[in-house]
Amino acid sequence: MTTTYRLLRQTSRTSRFAAVTVEVEPSSGSEVEVTAAVTAAHRREADLGARWALRGLPAAAKVTVTDVLTTEVDTTTGDVHEATARAVWQALGIEYPTPYVRFSDPRMVASWLDDMAGRRLDAVTEARHWYDGRCEPDAASLLHAWLYFESAPPIGLHGSGDQLILAKEDPYRSYDMGDHGETRVGPALRPGILSGFVGARLVDGTVIIGPDGDLICAGLMLRFDTGDLVVGTLGDEWVLPVGSMPAAVAPYWTMQPFVRGAP
């Protein structure tokens, strides 16, 4: 089966575009090949997107990515990745398992940081756990966060074990958890740490590698014009310090070079 998926999304503040053509055929084991003439970054996104789509499927398949179409203005990090995954699902006649496609590959995350460098953080949305009308401060109650950089889609931050996962997605709605309280989703409020960086401009950033090695992003150090912010996850717990990396996590984390070369 050969099919093309076109990612076409435009709002008053952002746009996304990527068109990916794939050939999918039965195979004794999952296999991905990218034959399209693309940049190294888009080749990696296509490969990872196809592998993401094949995860957990009942039958193995071989995916060949034969064509990738992008634009200099509307295509940014994650668009080819998502279009490829959706093309594979479309070829297989599978309803999308999730409304978005996540990524945690350090090179993709570094590319996203490079895209965002120089932009202002316009807003932050948080999902927090509330119980009996109260919530613990900062990392203790944080479930997920979404960063809104100027002229860019919101990026969701999800922590899973020692892995920080990014997704171009809109926040979900608040919901009740019965006897366990509720999840409230709304703008980050002071004196919360994330709210303190709203309005600041991202100068540079770096990927933090966790204890599982260089294939997994564990966190980010975001260097704003007002100071540094670390966002990461370790042992299924959020880590949200301002300034330098905390001594408690230093044995488990390794900072990569800053994408714009900050000292």
Side-chain angles (χ1 to χ4, degrees), residues 77-94:
T77 302
D79 293 343
V80 171
H81 181 262
E82 180 160 343
T84 304
R86 295 189 185 280
V88 173
W89 291 329
Q90 183 172 278
L92 295 172
I94 296 173

Side-chain angles (χ1 to χ4, degrees), residues 58-251:
K62 177 183 178 180
V63 176
T64 304
V65 181
T66 59
D67 191 41
V68 175
L69 182 62
T70 63
T71 72
E72 290 186 9
V73 175
D74 298 325
T75 306
T76 57
T77 302
D79 293 343
V80 171
H81 181 262
E82 180 160 343
T84 304
R86 295 189 185 280
V88 173
W89 291 329
Q90 183 172 278
L92 295 172
I94 296 173
E95 291 293 327
Y96 303 146
T98 61
Y100 49 84
V101 180
R102 299 175 175 181
F103 60 93
S104 186
D105 174 74
R107 278 175 278 189
M108 280 188 65
V109 177
S111 180
W112 172 79
L113 282 171
D114 193 46
D115 290 343
M116 295 303 104
R119 304 186 193 218
R120 185 179 62 251
L121 182 62
D122 288 337
V124 176
T125 295
E126 297 176 332
R128 290 191 175 275
H129 176 238
W130 285 68
Y131 185 78
D132 198 23
R134 295 174 295 179
C135 79
E136 297 295 323
D138 291 318
S141 63
L142 185 66
L143 300 175
H144 303 109
W146 294 264
L147 308 180
Y148 291 76
F149 285 97
E150 61 179 330
S151 303
I155 194 80
L157 304 180
H158 301 258
S160 177
D162 299 326
Q163 182 178 15
L164 180 68
I165 305 169
L166 282 65
K168 287 185 172 181
E169 60 176 358
D170 293 319
Y172 50 77
R173 296 182 178 180
S174 302
Y175 59 91
D176 184 73
M177 300 169 63
D179 293 339
H180 300 288
E182 60 182 316
T183 294
R184 295 186 187 180
V185 181
L189 301 175
R190 291 187 179 274
I193 287 175
L194 294 178
S195 68
F197 288 88
V198 173
R201 191 169 298 277
L202 185 67
V203 177
D204 209 340
T206 182
V207 177
I208 298 172
I209 304 300
D212 292 330
D214 61 2
L215 298 180
I216 298 296
C217 170
L220 308 169
M221 175 172 276
L222 304 175
R223 176 151 292 170
F224 291 94
D225 54 6
T226 57
D228 292 351
L229 169 68
V230 175
V231 182
T233 180
L234 183 65
D236 235 7
E237 299 289 338
W238 283 104
V239 182
L240 279 177
V242 173
S244 60
M245 185 187 301
V249 301

Side-chain angles (χ1 to χ4, degrees), residues 19-31:
V20 176
T21 302
V22 299
E23 295 177 358
V24 182
E25 55 187 339
S27 176
S28 58
S30 294
E31 184 180 350

